[in-house]
Amino acid sequence: MAWIAATGSYLPVRIVRNDEFDQFPPNSLRLIESKTGIRERRFAADDQLNSDLAHEAAKACLDQAGIEPSDIDGVIVATSSPDRMQPATATRVQHLIGARRAWAFDVNSVCSGAVFALATANAMVQSLMARNILVVASEVYSRITNPRDFSTYPYFGDGAGAALVTSTSSRWRVGASVLASDGSGSEKIQVPNGGKFTMVGKDVYEFAISKGPQILAELVRAERISADTIAGVICHQANVNILREIASRSGISFERFFVNLDRYGNTAAASVLIALDEFLAEARPTSGSRVLLAAFGGGLSWGGISISVEDE
Amino acid sequence: MTTERYVDAIRTVFPDWDGSGDLAATTFESVPGWDSMNSVNLQMELESAFGVNLSDRPAEKRDTLAAYFEYLKTQKT
């Protein structure tokens, strides 16, 4: 078995509100909140790399866990906006946190990245390959979106989240996971070589509201639980209207869906781990309940993980 | 302000639209890639192409490409 021993997150200091986008027609700015629920987001400082955000989230996680960097066996960074094409952003994070024994690599499954990374870490711990794996999801989409593209730029924010997956029993046990991909949709969400981020908005919306309920249903079935044991749903924070539709279609009350996209925008792979960190700190789910993670994004890809809340 | 330039501006934002067909019978919704957020990109492209400031976004009050072009022609440069 594997557990999540601790979580952490980091949001850059700079807040960017919708009304600060003076490159867009003033009469269009109200569309941002009405269509997405986003009121503001954070942008990394000019001298902050993706790995710097990841480092801060990792530090917060390790502080919560109370373990030394020397105890970490592996670092997995989920990102689709890496420091560079190569090497992996995870290698700089490994260096920054001083985890000298740890191997390190990146996972790129765009907005599903954190779920894919957590599932990978879970499998590695359960196979006895590692005892402690630090999973960090970190994104700087302000750098890869076109500031003059109203269909993408206002959606996204920068940030990082982290979780320590461990073989030491803890409060949050990692349960069932589901992962899926469909490469026939690879052009729906992409950053073409030498270009900026693009997505086919309508198609992505339909994809998200289709797969979100499917992920949750598969987790519920795999865990053999009833909806009333679900303490919270941590969905990829893409758009509040998507979340509402997923709630409606899944039969899980929207009140159980954690939402912070109004403050941070869509932080791509980072959104699930940032939301998980905030949810666990605020909601303090009780023993016997479940927290379901669900994400969907470029690839196309989608996946979910169930977390069981246990006695400490 | 020609129809050809108007069509070119739309195709700049929506390259998958081939620009053919009767503009009076073509709704913005039918243009491949159209959504409310991309309508703002089209508004900006038209403002840049024709040197105007548009208070009405495409499709906000006029559904067809021809109807919006008529509105566009009334805007001062």
Side-chain angles (χ1 to χ4, degrees):
Chain A
M1 289 191 285
W3 287 261
I4 290 176
T7 60
S9 61
Y10 172 77
L11 282 306
V13 171
R14 182 184 166 205
I15 298 173
V16 179
R17 299 185 316 270
N18 292 347
D19 63 9
E20 294 180 52
F21 289 131
D22 55 12
Q23 70 268 46
F24 300 124
N27 66 355
S28 67
L29 297 181
R30 65 181 181 274
L31 272 183
I32 301 172
E33 184 172 354
S34 67
K35 290 294 181 181
T36 69
I38 298 167
R39 291 186 285 108
E40 60 187 43
R41 77 283 294 145
R42 305 295 182 94
F43 280 0
D46 290 345
D47 61 351
Q48 277 185 311
L49 297 177
N50 178 320
S51 51
D52 293 319
L53 276 63
H55 178 212
E56 294 298 325
K59 280 194 307 184
C61 180
L62 294 180
D63 285 346
Q64 190 186 100
I67 72 166
E68 295 297 321
S70 58
D71 292 327
I72 299 171
D73 302 300
V75 178
I76 303 175
V77 170
T79 188
S80 50
S81 55
D83 286 353
R84 296 164 281 197
M85 180 75 80
Q86 56 172 290
T89 296
T91 58
R92 185 166 187 260
V93 176
Q94 178 251 24
H95 169 68
L96 289 174
I97 63 176
R100 295 184 182 82
R101 287 194 315 107
W103 40 258
F105 62 88
D106 287 358
V107 164
N108 180 358
S109 197
V110 199
C111 296
S112 305
V115 168
F116 276 61
L118 281 173
T120 301
N122 178 39
M124 287 176 149
V125 167
Q126 292 207 44
S127 71
L128 306 182
M129 201 178 141
R131 291 179 301 116
N132 296 307
I133 299 177
L134 180 64
V135 173
V136 188
S138 183
E139 302 280 21
V140 284
Y141 266 52
S142 64
R143 308 246 166 94
I144 66 168
T145 46
N146 179 353
R148 293 200 58 81
D149 181 359
F150 191 82
S151 70
T152 56
Y153 194 68
Y155 273 114
F156 293 96
D158 303 338
L164 182 67
V165 181
T166 179
S167 60
T168 303
S169 63
S170 184
R171 189 136 195 264
W172 305 306
R173 183 174 58 80
V174 182
S177 61
V178 294
L179 301 178
S181 300
D182 178 5
S184 71
S186 62
E187 295 185 7
K188 303 292 185 186
I189 300 171
Q190 63 170 316
V191 177
N193 289 334
K196 294 288 190 180
F197 178 89
T198 65
M199 66 179 178
V200 183
K202 273 186 182 175
D203 292 357
V204 171
Y205 177 86
E206 292 298 328
F207 160 70
I209 64 173
S210 167
K211 296 306 180 186
Q214 179 180 322
I215 295 164
L216 297 175
E218 289 189 32
L219 292 177
V220 166
R221 189 163 47 243
E223 293 283 325
R224 298 181 184 180
I225 58 175
S226 58
D228 61 359
T229 65
I230 299 170
V233 178
I234 312 296
C235 241
H236 167 49
Q237 300 286 301
N239 177 318
V240 73
N241 297 314
I242 288 176
L243 298 188
R244 289 188 186 280
E245 187 62 27
I246 290 173
S248 173
R249 292 184 178 206
S250 66
I252 300 172
S253 169
F254 182 67
E255 280 67 41
R256 296 187 199 175
F257 280 65
F258 185 80
V259 179
N260 65 10
L261 60 90
D262 55 323
R263 290 173 285 134
Y264 305 141
N266 180 343
T267 54
S271 80
V272 165
L273 289 187
I274 294 171
L276 178 64
D277 182 49
E278 293 194 343
F279 173 78
L280 292 177
E282 293 172 17
R284 299 186 183 277
T286 56
S287 176
S289 64
R290 293 289 201 286
V291 178
L292 304 185
L293 279 57
F296 29 81
L300 298 167
S301 62
W302 60 101
I305 292 181
S306 170
I307 297 172
S308 298
V309 183
E310 301 184 334
D311 291 327
E312 289 198 78
Chain B
M1 194 177 284
T2 65
T3 304
E4 289 73 22
R5 194 155 179 224
Y6 176 58
V7 168
D8 283 346
I10 297 173
R11 295 199 69 225
T12 297
V13 180
F14 301 101
D16 290 339
W17 178 55
D18 65 9
S20 65
D22 180 2
L23 297 187
T26 305
T27 63
F28 284 105
E29 284 278 344
S30 69
V31 172
W34 176 267
D35 62 32
S36 57
M37 303 299 260
N38 259 322
S39 74
V40 177
N41 286 340
L42 178 57
Q43 177 184 348
M44 293 193 291
E45 180 63 27
L46 293 171
E47 287 180 343
S48 174
F50 296 108
V52 295
N53 282 321
L54 301 171
S55 57
D56 293 347
R57 277 194 310 280
E60 191 176 17
K61 294 174 185 171
R62 298 160 188 84
D63 289 341
T64 69
L65 272 58
Y68 194 78
F69 188 43
E70 291 306 310
Y71 158 73
L72 189 62
K73 286 191 281 188
T74 66
Q75 300 308 295
K76 292 181 182 177
T77 58

